[in-house]
Amino acid sequence: MFNIYKYCQYQEDLLLFLFQNNPQICPYGLYAEQLSGSAFTAPRSYNVRTWFYRIRPAVCHKPFSRIDQGNMSNDFSSTVPDPAQTRWKPFDFPKKGEEIDFVNGLATICGAGDPKSRHGIAIHVYSCNISMTNKAFYNSDGDFLIVPQEGSLYIKTEMGKIVVNPNEICVIPMGIRFNVSVSGNTRGYILEVFDAHFELPSLGPIGANGLANPRDFEYPTACYEDLDINGYKVISKYQGAFFEALQDHSPFDVVAWHGNYAPYKYDLSKFMVINSVAFDHADPSIFTVLTCQSVKPGVAIADFVIFPPRWGVADHTFRPPYYHRNCMSEFMGLILGKYEAKEGGFLPGGASLHSMMTPHGPDSECFNKASTEDLKPVRVADGTMSFMFESSLSMAITDWGAKICEKVDDEYYKCWQGIEKKFNPNWRDETNGESGPPTKKRR
């Protein structure tokens, strides 16, 4: 993905023995197993796979049986379409007395497409308060991009351990088994893509450096456990449903691995921001961290975009996000702080969805303030981190997202009702036509 071929090892001499991927006899009595994240014949720049050297091959489990999947769904055809601007108040933590782990705390808000055809996305939230015990989970349908909002995630994967804190993200590619431990109430967002894997966006005329730099993505080092446990549960998300298989040992028994298909984390504070330094508001695509591209050039199945702390210096410009109608769907979440365009009702742990071609933009308070303030250089979004999952697909809200969660803000539309008509046909005579960049005069 990032043209990184990373070697992780239990002991240096293990991989020194392996001048080939699949020897007749592996050192230390291990089994060789390949995990393919792309077709064998995919172009080399897109070809991803990893070789495991593990205590037991992953196939050592009993038959799968279907289990309850709670509020997680990939069925987006059963709900009635609704183009309205939608905002959710912060999603609840588990109720007092409830014990819910990461898998049981998954709930789907919206999405589009179908994992059977390997095309589409889903947006979930998770809310949990206990660790997964003797349980592993993997996604057969696509990649997870996990955005913690409250509480840290202590993730154990087949490749090793990752700690993900709020203001960091983690990507767990399709098929990789993982377990999540938490300490108390924990909440966050997940973007799931069915089509392909996440990658860095092309930089074009920006050049070789900028935005999210490859050097800042962190991968785990092999860390194995040799545990015999009767009734260990391995849960597979397959075609949108959950299936469970039992085995008598921990699946996190990889002693060494090498390859370019692995989970990774990224600290959002390391994003190198690009912004307008003259006039006008640049499009939010300049804040893209990762993208999952469609077959159409430049059109994303999903982009992960952030709005980090930065300087605002544009002259003669309405600096907050502009009023907008979009051929893309925009789902936003707030990790911490206050979002500049709506400082009131958009809260950490909540979300909003502005569907395809549905108008949206700053509320009346933001517009009035930004239209009259002194345009000197100012810091924007200090102490804040908001993000957007943007997609070329038209997303449907699930029953859980529309009704069951009971978090829809029915008064969201009111934030635009105070916008006044300001049209003045005598404007030119009253102002001498003074508008536009100060270096130019209107004629």
Side-chain angles (χ1 to χ4, degrees):
M1 170 178 156
F2 300 116
N3 294 321
I4 293 175
Y5 200 82
K6 188 173 180 68
Y7 286 85
C8 295
Q9 52 199 39
Y10 162 60
Q11 291 181 347
E12 292 184 3
D13 59 350
L14 178 59
L15 289 180
L16 290 177
F17 281 132
L18 299 177
F19 62 89
Q20 62 186 100
N21 291 324
N22 189 24
Q24 184 180 22
I25 299 177
C26 289
Y28 300 99
L30 299 173
Y31 291 88
E33 176 182 277
Q34 182 176 202
L35 177 63
S36 296
S38 62
F40 293 140
T41 52
R44 182 162 292 212
S45 58
Y46 296 101
N47 205 306
V48 288
R49 79 284 186 213
T50 283
W51 279 94
F52 292 127
Y53 302 95
R54 60 193 314 155
I55 297 172
R56 297 178 185 84
V59 73
C60 295
H61 62 77
K62 296 179 180 178
F64 283 102
S65 59
R66 186 164 182 175
I67 61 173
D68 180 65
Q69 62 198 67
N71 294 312
M72 197 172 194
S73 174
N74 287 155
D75 179 9
F76 306 114
S77 61
S78 60
T79 56
V80 177
D82 184 359
Q85 303 96 339
T86 305
R87 182 166 69 188
W88 290 268
K89 301 172 185 178
F91 297 99
D92 288 336
F93 291 112
K95 296 178 182 178
K96 187 176 181 179
E98 286 184 321
E99 291 188 340
I100 298 177
D101 66 21
F102 178 85
V103 174
N104 294 331
L106 292 168
T108 307
I109 304 173
C110 57
D114 178 14
K116 294 179 184 177
S117 61
R118 296 292 305 277
H119 176 61
I121 69 167
I123 295 174
H124 319 283
V125 291
Y126 65 87
S127 179
C128 55
N129 59 357
I130 63 169
S131 302
M132 294 168 59
T133 302
N134 296 335
K135 180 191 293 187
F137 181 84
Y138 69 96
N139 187 356
S140 302
D141 296 329
D143 289 7
F144 274 167
L145 189 157
I146 303 173
V147 185
Q149 185 274 316
E150 182 75 29
S152 299
L153 300 179
Y154 303 88
I155 303 177
K156 185 189 306 178
T157 77
E158 292 177 275
M159 282 79 167
K161 297 179 179 180
I162 305 175
V163 178
V164 192
N165 302 307
N167 216 44
E168 298 178 333
I169 62 167
C170 175
V171 172
I172 301 183
M174 179 175 65
I176 295 175
R177 299 176 178 189
F178 66 97
N179 168 286
V180 177
S181 294
V182 299
S183 179
N185 284 335
T186 305
R187 179 175 62 193
Y189 312 85
I190 298 176
L191 171 61
E192 180 184 14
V193 293
F194 306 147
D195 294 67
H197 301 298
F198 290 103
E199 58 184 283
L200 291 170
S202 298
L203 294 182
I206 292 174
N209 306 289
L211 308 187
N213 288 307
R215 60 174 291 173
D216 294 321
F217 288 81
E218 300 179 73
Y219 292 75
T221 299
C223 178
Y224 76 95
E225 57 186 28
D226 184 6
L227 298 176
D228 295 329
I229 303 172
N230 287 325
Y232 198 104
K233 299 176 182 179
V234 177
I235 298 172
S236 170
K237 177 182 177 292
Y238 175 75
Q239 294 185 4
F242 282 10
F243 295 84
E244 179 183 280
L246 300 179
Q247 58 187 51
D248 60 5
H249 61 280
S250 167
F252 304 110
D253 60 355
V254 175
V255 177
W257 64 272
H258 73 86
N260 61 352
Y261 189 61
Y264 53 89
K265 63 175 281 187
Y266 176 73
D267 183 342
L268 300 179
S269 68
K270 296 181 178 179
F271 187 82
M272 197 276 265
V273 179
I274 303 292
N275 207 357
S276 171
V277 296
F279 63 91
D280 275 354
H281 193 295
D283 293 331
S285 51
I286 61 171
F287 300 121
T288 302
V289 179
L290 292 169
T291 183
C292 176
Q293 287 291 296
S294 72
V295 295
K296 298 178 182 179
V299 179
I301 294 297
D303 285 331
F304 174 61
V305 179
I306 63 173
F307 302 100
R310 58 199 183 275
W311 280 99
V313 299
D315 288 326
H316 213 272
T317 296
F318 181 79
R319 290 177 177 176
Y322 41 71
Y323 293 106
H324 193 205
R325 290 181 295 163
N326 196 354
C327 64
M328 309 281 275
S329 301
E330 301 180 14
F331 178 94
M332 286 196 62
L334 184 59
I335 299 171
L336 54 95
K338 296 180 178 180
Y339 179 55
E340 59 182 301
K342 297 181 184 68
E343 294 190 359
F346 187 49
L347 301 174
S352 68
L353 175 64
H354 298 143
S355 296
M356 203 167 283
M357 288 303 173
T358 294
H360 54 277
D363 59 25
S364 56
E365 182 180 351
C366 175
F367 179 85
N368 292 332
K369 179 182 177 181
S371 299
T372 57
E373 64 185 356
D374 184 16
L375 291 181
K376 56 186 178 182
V378 294
R379 292 290 298 170
V380 178
D382 277 339
T384 293
M385 183 62 76
S386 55
F387 70 88
M388 178 167 65
F389 298 151
E390 185 175 60
S391 175
S392 60
L393 304 179
S394 185
M395 291 190 282
I397 300 175
T398 63
D399 287 336
W400 186 88
K403 301 173 185 176
I404 299 172
C405 71
E406 298 182 339
K407 289 298 173 181
V408 174
D409 183 355
D410 294 326
E411 297 187 347
Y412 182 32
Y413 74 96
K414 291 183 179 180
C415 74
W416 294 289
Q417 300 308 302
I419 297 175
E420 301 173 346
K421 182 176 77 171
K422 297 179 180 290
F423 176 65
N424 180 5
N426 300 315
W427 168 82
R428 178 175 294 277
D429 294 334
E430 295 176 4
T431 64
N432 295 320
E434 293 181 359
S435 182
T439 56
K440 297 181 179 180
K441 290 186 178 181
R442 300 282 184 180
R443 296 182 179 178

